[in-house]
Structures are given as C-alpha cells and as structure tokens.
Amino acid sequence: MPRISETQNGTTAVLIAGNGRGPAETIESLLLRGDPKKFGVQRATSYDAAIKAIAEETHDICFVGETLSGRSGIEFIRETVASGWCVPVILLTNPGGNEAGLEAIAAGAMDYLLAEQLEPESLARAIRHGLDRKRTSLQLRDERQAKAELQQQLLDLQAAKEDFEELSAQHARVAEELYSAREDIKGALDKAEESERRYRTLSESSPVGIWHISFDGKTLYANAAMNRIFNMNRDDDLSGDHYEAYVGGDGRKIMEEHLAILSGGETAEWELEITPKGGGDSRYVVVSGAPLLASDGVAKSALTTVIDITDRKKAEESMRRLAMHDPLTDLPNRVMFQDRLSHALAQAHRNGSQFAVLYLDLDHFKIVNDTLGHPTGDLLLKGVAKRLLRCVRETDTVARLGGDEFAIIAPDLKSGDYVVALAERIIKSLGEAFILQGQKVYTATSIGITAYPTDDTELDTLIKNADLALYAAKESGRGLFKFFTPEMNAKAVSRVAIEKDLRQAIEGEEFALLYQPIIDLRTRHVISAEALLRWHHPKKGIMPPDEFMPVAEDSGLIGPIGEWVLRTALKQAKDWQEAAARPPGVSINLSSRQIRHGFSKELVTKALGEAGLSPDMLTIEITESLVMEDTGSSIDLMKSLKDIGVILSLDDFGTGYSSLSYLNKFPVDYVKIDRSFVRDITVDKDDAVLIEAIITMAHRLHLRVVAEGVEKKEQLEFLRSQGCDFAQGYYFSKPVAIKSFVEFIRNWSRKGGRANPKSRPA
Ligand code: C2E
Ligand code: CA
Ligand code: CA
C-alpha cells in the first residue's frame, strides 16, 4: 500500500492533471519557485493518464483543472473518490469558478482554488491540508482495512470456533463413548480377571480338589489339590485322563451312576475310593458336583469339588475298629458280630448256602475272676480267645460278646459234621488246663448251636435260638453242646406263660413243700429234711421246680417265693419238733439270684425268731454255681449266716469243673455230692474214684459229706465204705408232704433207722 514516503524524506509528490498552460502551469511554477527539492511534480495531460497516475497513489496531492482532454475535472474527482484512492484532489477553477468549486467539494474534492487568485500562501496552505487529508484518509483506509481484516478474522475465528466446537462436541461424544466403552470393557475385564484370579487362587491354593469332568468320564481340568490327592507333581496334567485310570470296581459303578445324575441336570455328592495315579495307598474322597452349562445351554460336563477324607476315614476306621473290637482279646465284639452275622445271612441267602451260629459260655468264669483276681481272669479270656481261633477255620468268625460269652459264625457248611467236630474240638481244647502266672487254671464251656436256614432265616431269631440252645446246654450239665430244637423255642414260649401264672401262685396258695429226709450214716438218725418246692398249677397240675425255678429266677419272683419257702419250712420244722426224740432240722435250697432279691441274714434271723427255732436247726444248701456267679456277695452272706449259727451245705458238688480247688474258699459245713455221681458209682469206676477223692478231700478240710440220690443199697454200701457222713435219696424216702414226713420220722425212729422199702420207687 502506497504511503507518503516522499514527505518523510522532505519531498512532496504532486500530480498536476491538466493540459496547456493555464493554472496547472502556474501551480508548477509556483511550486518550483521556492525550494525545487521540496516538491516533485508530475504532469498528466490527459484524463486517462491522470487516472492511471492517481491510481498508483504515490502522490501526496493532485490538482485538476475544470476540463481535462475534453472531460470534466469534477468527473475525475468523482471517479477517484469512487475508486477510493487516497490522493486528495484540489480543483483549479477557471475565473469566477466559485460555483464549480462548491460542486467539486460536493463531489469529494478536498478543496478548490480559484485560478485568478493563486498565491503561494494559499497554495501552501492547500498543500498542507492536502497532506493531512491524505494521511488521515490513508489512516482511515488502513483502519477500515484493518477493521475489515479483523472482522474477517473474527468471522473466520467464529467459523473456526464453531467448527472446533462441533469437532470437540463430536470428540467429546466419541470420547464419552470411548470412555464408557472402555469402562465397560475395563469392568468386564476386571470382573473377568477378578473371577479368573479368584478362581485360580481358589483353585490352586484350595485344599479342595477341583475336578472338571466331562459326562463321558474324561478329566477336563484338575487343580493343584487334585494333583496332591493323586500323589502327582504340581505341574503334572491330569486332563484327558479317564476316571477308570484311578477308580476301580465298585467305584466305577458309583462314578457312572453319579455322572448320569449330573447329566440329568441335578447336583450330586458321592464318596469314592481312588488309587492315586502317582502311586501310594488308596485314598477316600467326597466328590460333590453340579452340571456345567456350555455356551449353547447344554451341559456336557460337571464341575466338582473333591475333598480328601482319607484321614477322616482312617480315624473312623480305627474308631470303628475300637467300637467293633473287644480291646482285651482283639476279637470282634458284639456289634461287629451282629454285622458279620447279617453279612453271613445275606451271603447264604444269595448262594443258598448254610451256616451255623455257636454261642459259648464259660463255666464258672466268675470264680476265676474273684478268687484269682481280674488280671488272671483277663489272661484266661485271652487264652480262651487264642484257643478258639485255633479251633476254627479261617473263614469262621470268633467274637467275644461280653464277659465270658463268645460266639462263632461258621459259614459255607456242606453238612452239620463240621459244626459237631468244631464244638467237640472247642470243648476239649478249653477243658485243658491253662497255665496262668505259674498256676493251673481250669475252665469249661457250654455251647448252643443254631443253623441257617434249617432253624430260621431271621437274624434275631437265629441269635435267640443260639441263646436258647446254650441255655439248654447249660441246663443239662456243663461242658456240653446242644443244637437248637423247636422244643427249646416252645419251652421259651411256655416260660412266658409260666411267669404270668407264677405271679398268682403265692397269693393263690399254690405252693407246697415236700420233705426228704437226710440220714446220718453212722448214727442212722434223721438229721434233717430237705424242703423241696412243688407248684400245684391250677391247670397243669403239679409242677417240679426244674420247670418253674429258672423262670422264677429270671423274673425276680424267686425273691418272694424263696421267702415263702424259708418261713414255711421253719414253721413246719417247728411243727415236727415233737415227733421224734431227736427232731431233725430242715434244709432249704437257696437259689442263685435269690441274694439279689431279698434273701439276707436279717431275713433268716427274723424268720428263725418267728418260728422259734435255733439257727442250727436250719441248713441252707447253696449250689456251687451260685457262689461262682456272685462270689463276693454270696461268700459274705455265707459268712454272716455261719456267724449266726446256720449250717451251710454246698449243693450239687462235683458238677462244677474245679470244685476241689475252690473248696477251701467257701465257709461251708457240708459238701453235698451231686446225684449224677452217686448214680453210677457202682458201675463207673471214674465216678467211684471221684467220690473217694471228694470225701477224702472234704474230710481233710473238716467238712462233712452228704450223698444225694441214693436209690440202691449198693450205692449206700459203697458210700458208707468210703466214710460218707450222710445220705439222702429214694432208698430212704421220696420227698413227701409234711404229714407223711412226720409219719416217716416217727416210723424211722421206731424201727431204729432202717429204710422203709415202701418209700422206694417201683
Ligand atoms: P436238689 O437241691 O439237688 O434237690 C434234690 C433233687 O433230687 C430233688 O428234685 C429230689 O426230688 C431229687 N431226688 C432226691 N432223691 C432222689 C433219688 O434217689 N433219685 C433221683 N433221681 N432224684 C432224687 P426236685 O424236688 O425235683 O428238685 C429239683 C431241684 O429244684 C433241686 O435240686 C433244687 O435245686 C431245686 N429246688 C427245689 N426246691 C427248691 C426251693 O425251695 N428253693 C430253691 N431255691 N430251689 C429248689
Ligand atoms: Ca438241694
Ligand atoms: Ca443237689
């Protein structure tokens, strides 16, 4: 853009538009008259040249005449103004041209100069004004231009800003979307990562095995704990394995069943025994799982947790062993016996085989315990257990049911032969002496046997049968075995009926006592009468004690019955005091368990007082087995009875296996040889020897001997020859009612004590 550079270096550029001489020439000469360097003058003689020159805007001021090459100066002014050129134009008027001058100013000229009045001062003034004007208009134009530029810039800026805003809005939207997308992804990732991490941590550090298994049995994943369970290294990979690689037999069936449950969409839990892939003992695990849905919504596998319960199992096992075994003999106990029995039952049922159950009871074990001490008793039980195990086959079960009771299960029997042989073998084996802590100890056993399926097919009934058979074996003498028979059962059933009736018996006065005399073999006096109980059953007639005493004992009815016997016997003995010169005393039998049911020294003292009899008129017969059942309390009772002067007799002597060795431990006065020995003394040499030995031994211990069951003269002769003190039996008299007995003693003393042949059995 042209500037007034000329003025800056002191020269004012002047354009004079005009032709010819006239005012233009005047101006030029005026300007150049003073300092020629002060002005640079250019002349444009035509309109077009003038326009061309002014358009360059290099001039500071332009003078134009009223006409220029035929065109008007005013027109020139208008054109320059319209063109926006910044060179101020002054019109030089022709003479008298005020009017033209005014028109020129209106057209945009800066001023006009009247040609006739041209003077240097007015010209200088006009030029000064012109210069100012040019400067101002240039400035104005610059400002305008700057303003326009600014405006444009502003507009541009505005547009740019809008663009920017639009962009940034877009950006923000995108950013936001991005952000939220990222957040989502991050959240998802975090979650995935966390659950993955949690899963991993859980999975890898968990003591619980995690086992992902396909329904067809293949391992898809197994965690570190699974490796531990399988005795594998941490890094070993179990995946791909089929469970059949480490689950055998029953386990496979269990797996199959439970995978089927899982594939049916249900959860399942099961126990499993596995063989560790890495070797070692088998382990027990609890597997619990749920079906795992695949992305298509169908379950093809199950995710399971596996807990190693081997230790628990082992603990349980030893607990079970403790609970199932008798710690003393290490034989199976009653619990395990029942378990084995039900096992044997199921097995026999399956194969249609036979088996037998043997119940054993040691005879008089208690006496060993009480006289030789519990440690010896324990040793005896251990010894018995050992011998029993030696007698049986490997497949047989020997159990200790408690105390001195043992049981044997003998499975897979072809016939009864084995059982008979076994029972005989056991009786023989246990009959031999045990050497315990340097001393010989004897025991014996009774055995009851029942067979499946001959006797019964129910477990409880078989146990009951064996018990009944044992009971029967004991009843018929010790050291015997007996097979169960239906009669035993009938007997058991009748026992129930007997008990019911027995409760009525005392009140109904259905009892009576018979008396059997006991004869002094030296003086031939009747020294006593044994009171023997009879029950007049209202329907069944007279019942012997053997049929109801066991029931009375078991039911506890023995208490009141025994008391009735004591009182009645003493009262009746008092009654016969007048019948003879030397009136006999009375003997009563004291049954086992009677002590526990009210029989005491006090009761005896009271009954003696009531009857008005002295204690030495009463003999109490106590069986050896009673003493052995309850040694402590029975010996105490015996001592206290002896203290008050009652005579004690050891009944059924000889039926106990080790009678002689314990004889001196009992505070008795008499020993009563069991009638089973007396029966055969004349035919059986062994019995004769035994009786001889008993008599000798008893006498050495200052005991007197009674022989019971004497039926024959020869028996009596033998007994007398051996120095037996007293005798009792049918040879002298059967047990008779009180009236007959009183008669008997009268006759007896009259005849001088000879046996009445009439009283002997036919
Ligand atoms: P026990 O104490 O051994 O009684 C003797 C048994 O032998 C009696 O049988 C008697 O009748 C029988 N007897 C006597 N002489 C002979 C003979 O020469 N030959 C044969 N073969 N037998 C003879 P009983 O009266 O049947 O009594 C059986 C058992 O019942 C008794 O055996 C006794 O243990 C018990 N008993 C009887 N009465 C009572 C009682 O009042 N209380 C208690 N607790 N038990 C009694
Ligand atoms: Ca007796
Ligand atoms: Ca007896």
Side-chain angles (χ1 to χ4, degrees):
M1 184 154 302
R3 290 276 175 268
I4 321 167
S5 52
E6 297 79 355
T7 46
Q8 285 172 346
N9 44 28
T11 310
T12 303
V14 180
L15 175 65
I16 298 169
N19 48 351
R21 309 201 50 177
E25 233 169 51
T26 318
I27 285 176
E28 194 176 348
S29 62
L30 277 175
L31 290 176
L32 299 173
R33 199 192 306 155
D35 187 353
K37 281 180 191 160
K38 212 175 164 189
F39 296 97
V41 179
Q42 189 189 345
R43 290 275 292 258
T45 51
S46 71
Y47 185 92
D48 292 342
I51 285 291
K52 202 179 161 200
I54 203 167
E56 288 171 10
E57 287 191 310
T58 53
H59 304 87
D60 296 314
I61 193 153
C62 173
F63 293 96
V64 69
E66 273 191 57
T67 53
L68 183 64
S69 56
R71 296 177 70 170
S72 140
I74 304 264
E75 194 187 338
F76 175 81
I77 290 167
R78 279 197 185 107
E79 194 174 338
T80 60
V81 171
S83 298
W85 298 317
C86 281
V87 181
V89 181
I90 293 171
L91 183 73
L92 295 167
T93 61
N94 295 327
N98 272 328
E99 227 171 295
L102 289 174
E103 194 184 349
I105 286 175
M110 193 192 83
D111 208 354
Y112 68 97
L113 289 172
L114 292 170
E116 67 259 18
Q117 292 170 2
L118 268 179
E119 289 165 15
E121 293 81 27
S122 58
L123 184 61
R125 199 176 55 240
I127 287 173
R128 245 189 349 264
H129 281 162
L131 285 173
D132 283 349
R133 171 95 180 240
K134 185 182 173 188
R135 202 179 297 121
T136 315
S137 69
L138 271 174
Q139 274 174 357
L140 264 174
R141 205 179 67 179
D142 280 357
E143 275 172 22
R144 249 201 326 273
Q145 259 177 7
K147 198 179 158 194
E149 270 172 34
L150 254 172
Q151 257 170 353
Q152 189 53 50
Q153 276 177 9
L154 266 174
L155 280 173
D156 291 350
L157 262 174
Q158 186 65 33
K161 196 186 140 203
E162 277 167 14
D163 285 355
F164 176 77
E165 276 172 357
E166 172 61 16
L167 258 173
S168 50
Q170 267 178 26
H171 184 262
R173 264 197 313 277
V174 171
E176 204 177 311
E177 277 164 19
L178 264 173
Y179 183 79
S180 72
R182 219 192 66 178
E183 280 300 289
D184 287 354
I185 290 168
K186 195 169 160 261
L189 275 173
D190 278 0
K191 253 187 224 155
E193 216 170 86
E194 194 192 307
S195 75
E196 165 79 5
R197 199 170 49 236
R198 213 185 308 146
Y199 179 71
R200 284 277 152 202
T201 318
L202 236 177
S203 165
E204 291 310 310
S205 66
S206 157
V208 174
I210 291 168
W211 189 21
H212 186 193
I213 180 168
S214 65
F215 289 151
D216 57 12
K218 285 221 181 75
T219 299
L220 302 174
Y221 165 77
N223 70 342
M226 285 296 283
N227 283 24
R228 273 197 302 279
I229 293 170
F230 280 98
N231 276 340
M232 304 283 284
N233 290 327
R234 213 188 148 84
D235 303 328
D236 291 337
D237 195 359
L238 292 173
S239 49
D241 285 356
H242 195 276
Y243 66 75
E244 286 183 349
Y246 22 80
V247 176
D250 285 351
R252 293 189 184 178
K253 233 174 74 192
I254 293 170
M255 278 300 294
E256 209 175 285
E257 280 168 17
H258 286 89
L259 284 177
I261 294 172
L262 288 163
S263 69
E266 282 176 50
T267 60
E269 184 170 293
W270 66 98
E271 275 190 27
L272 200 64
E273 185 183 351
I274 53 155
T275 313
K277 196 181 177 185
D281 292 343
S282 59
R283 307 190 78 87
Y284 294 87
V285 292
V286 173
V287 185
S288 45
L292 197 65
L293 291 184
S295 48
D296 58 3
V298 181
K300 296 179 188 88
S301 62
L303 194 58
T304 68
T305 56
V306 179
I307 297 173
D308 188 348
I309 53 161
T310 310
D311 290 346
R312 198 184 82 193
K313 270 268 174 191
K314 275 188 191 152
E316 273 175 10
E317 177 58 35
S318 64
M319 290 284 287
R320 213 164 56 95
R321 217 190 138 63
L322 273 179
M324 302 279 261
H325 277 77
D326 163 42
L328 179 68
T329 60
D330 204 38
L331 292 178
N333 64 9
R334 187 182 290 273
V335 177
M336 190 169 181
F337 166 74
Q338 297 237 0
D339 191 63
R340 292 264 178 99
L341 188 56
S342 58
H343 223 77
L345 201 82
Q347 204 179 24
H349 183 71
R350 263 202 308 273
N351 341 321
S353 59
Q354 292 183 291
F355 70 89
V357 181
L358 291 81
Y359 261 39
L360 291 81
D361 190 300
L362 297 186
D363 295 338
H364 313 314
F365 168 71
K366 202 147 178 43
I367 191 72
V368 177
N369 241 355
D370 290 346
T371 57
L372 303 177
H374 282 259
T376 310
D378 285 354
L379 286 176
L380 178 61
L381 289 172
K382 279 190 189 178
V384 167
K386 249 190 219 155
R387 286 191 194 178
L388 287 177
L389 286 172
R390 255 189 273 142
C391 291
V392 299
R393 299 170 303 177
E394 220 171 89
T395 47
D396 297 344
T397 295
V398 179
R400 182 178 170 217
L401 304 183
D404 57 353
E405 285 173 55
F406 293 83
I408 295 169
I409 303 167
D412 291 323
L413 299 177
K414 304 279 172 292
S415 69
D417 294 354
Y418 169 73
V419 185
V420 173
L422 174 63
E424 282 171 346
R425 202 157 52 232
I426 290 171
I427 287 168
K428 184 166 176 283
S429 169
L430 296 189
E432 282 162 19
F434 288 83
I435 311 290
L436 305 175
Q437 291 173 323
Q439 54 182 315
K440 272 188 182 178
V441 178
Y442 289 90
T443 185
T445 187
S446 302
I447 305 176
I449 307 167
T450 192
Y452 171 99
T454 334
D455 296 337
D456 210 281
T457 53
E458 297 290 320
L459 186 139
D460 289 346
T461 318
L462 285 169
I463 289 177
K464 204 187 78 196
N465 287 353
D467 209 34
L468 284 173
L470 173 61
Y471 191 91
K474 284 207 289 196
E475 262 193 336
S476 50
R478 308 277 160 164
L480 287 173
F481 69 89
K482 273 222 186 291
F483 278 91
F484 169 80
T485 61
E487 293 80 66
M488 292 175 186
N489 201 39
K491 211 170 158 188
V493 171
S494 87
R495 281 169 80 108
V496 177
I498 288 173
E499 188 185 326
K500 212 178 115 231
D501 295 343
L502 209 49
R503 292 182 188 277
Q504 292 292 315
I506 299 178
E507 279 174 42
E509 297 186 345
E510 294 165 14
F511 288 120
L513 289 177
L514 298 186
Y515 294 96
Q516 188 177 34
I518 299 170
I519 314 294
D520 186 327
L521 294 183
R522 205 168 38 84
T523 63
R524 294 175 183 257
H525 289 141
V526 177
I527 56 133
S528 183
E530 180 174 6
L532 294 160
L533 186 61
R534 295 296 178 267
W535 178 16
H536 295 269
H537 191 280
K539 282 180 200 132
K540 294 173 185 161
I542 294 182
M543 278 176 77
D546 291 339
E547 271 176 43
F548 66 86
M549 285 313 268
V551 183
E553 285 171 2
D554 289 348
S555 61
L557 288 168
I558 191 65
I561 293 172
E563 198 178 324
W564 180 89
V565 169
L566 174 70
R567 290 179 193 282
T568 309
L570 289 175
K571 211 167 75 211
Q572 296 187 332
K574 178 74 182 173
D575 287 350
W576 71 61
Q577 293 304 300
E578 320 298 321
R582 286 170 184 270
V586 70
S587 299
I588 61 160
N589 292 282
L590 187 63
S591 167
S592 62
R593 299 197 215 167
Q594 220 168 317
I595 302 172
R596 263 178 274 158
H597 289 101
F599 195 91
S600 63
K601 183 192 90 178
E602 287 70 31
L603 179 72
V604 173
T605 315
K606 204 168 153 234
L608 282 168
E610 277 166 11
L613 275 179
S614 69
D616 63 349
M617 293 299 280
L618 173 66
T619 301
I620 295 178
E621 300 189 0
I622 300 166
T623 61
E624 196 185 17
S625 60
L626 177 145
V627 183
M628 294 192 177
E629 252 179 54
D630 213 342
T631 326
S633 51
S634 51
I635 289 181
D636 285 350
L637 176 72
M638 286 161 85
K639 279 183 181 149
S640 66
L641 289 172
K642 210 180 145 102
D643 284 349
I644 59 169
V646 171
I647 297 161
L648 298 178
S649 181
L650 195 59
D651 208 350
D652 296 347
F653 193 76
T655 52
Y657 60 100
S658 51
S659 319
L660 287 171
S661 40
Y662 301 114
L663 203 49
N664 61 343
K665 305 215 187 267
F666 305 135
V668 292
D669 304 285
Y670 301 165
V671 172
K672 214 168 168 181
I673 301 172
D674 191 72
R675 62 182 181 272
S676 59
F677 299 103
V678 174
R679 190 180 56 216
D680 297 333
I681 37 174
T682 50
V683 283
D684 191 328
K685 198 129 184 32
D686 286 350
D687 281 351
V689 169
L690 192 76
I691 285 188
E692 213 185 309
I694 292 172
I695 293 171
T696 311
M697 170 78 103
H699 283 167
R700 210 170 282 162
L701 293 168
H702 308 291
L703 305 175
R704 300 220 267 168
V705 182
V706 186
E708 68 174 14
V710 179
E711 294 179 3
K712 294 173 188 142
K713 200 172 163 53
E714 302 83 66
Q715 293 165 338
L716 182 66
E717 294 305 319
F718 175 81
L719 290 164
R720 189 175 274 146
S721 73
Q722 295 300 322
C724 183
D725 304 279
F726 309 103
Q728 173 188 1
Y730 295 167
Y731 180 75
F732 303 106
S733 168
K734 286 211 262 181
V736 292
I738 173 79
K739 258 193 185 161
S740 310
F741 178 70
V742 172
E743 221 169 280
F744 174 86
I745 41 177
R746 283 209 183 106
N747 288 337
W748 185 262
S749 46
R750 212 175 33 235
K751 286 188 294 174
R754 217 160 296 137
N756 180 2
K758 276 183 202 157
S759 69
R760 288 156 69 181

